[in-house]
Amino acid sequence: MSHLFNDDWLLNENIAYAGTFGVSQNNGLAGFLPAFHDTQTGRIELSRFADGTPSPIHLLDGLPDDWIIHKSAQGHVTAIKQSVVAGFLFNGSFLTREQAARYRVH
């Protein structure tokens, strides 16, 4: 069965990683930037608002058009490619939420 990658997916990930560096609210001050990685192409994009400005949390509306599968009648992204994962840019490297959750401040 395929998964639908949408706002509910992001919410479920936030719940799964609550209390760790796997969510933006816990790691932003440490220099983690919410980002997405297309595992199929290797492309990494910072999370952005629909107008293109960087977002402090994971949002779908600012993703590249070629990652978007569906938009609502109002123009909001409702589904993205399954090869895209949410994570963070940190010190020039992409970390998955799982990797960020294991991070410890030194």
Side-chain angles (χ1 to χ4, degrees):
M1 173 193 278
S2 64
H3 297 88
L4 185 60
F5 290 86
N6 57 21
D7 285 333
D8 288 337
W9 160 66
L10 289 175
L11 176 62
N12 287 335
E13 284 196 340
N14 280 339
I15 292 168
Y17 292 106
T20 73
F21 269 27
V23 293
S24 302
Q25 295 87 331
N26 298 335
N27 66 24
L29 293 177
F32 288 73
L33 300 172
F36 295 90
H37 176 228
D38 184 341
T39 60
Q40 195 173 48
T41 66
R43 184 174 172 186
I44 297 169
E45 292 286 337
L46 287 176
S47 183
R48 297 184 181 280
F49 291 104
D51 68 4
T53 58
S55 168
I57 61 172
H58 291 96
L59 297 176
L60 300 180
D61 282 338
L63 289 176
D65 287 339
D66 58 333
W67 290 9
I68 297 169
I69 294 174
H70 188 266
K71 287 186 178 184
S72 70
Q74 296 78 23
H76 296 292
V77 175
T78 56
I80 63 171
K81 293 172 50 174
Q82 290 186 3
S83 59
V84 175
V85 296
F88 302 92
L89 274 181
F90 181 68
N91 288 338
S93 296
F94 181 83
L95 301 176
T96 64
R97 285 186 186 257
E98 182 179 349
Q99 290 167 325
R102 292 191 308 254
Y103 185 82
R104 300 291 178 252
V105 178
H106 302 290

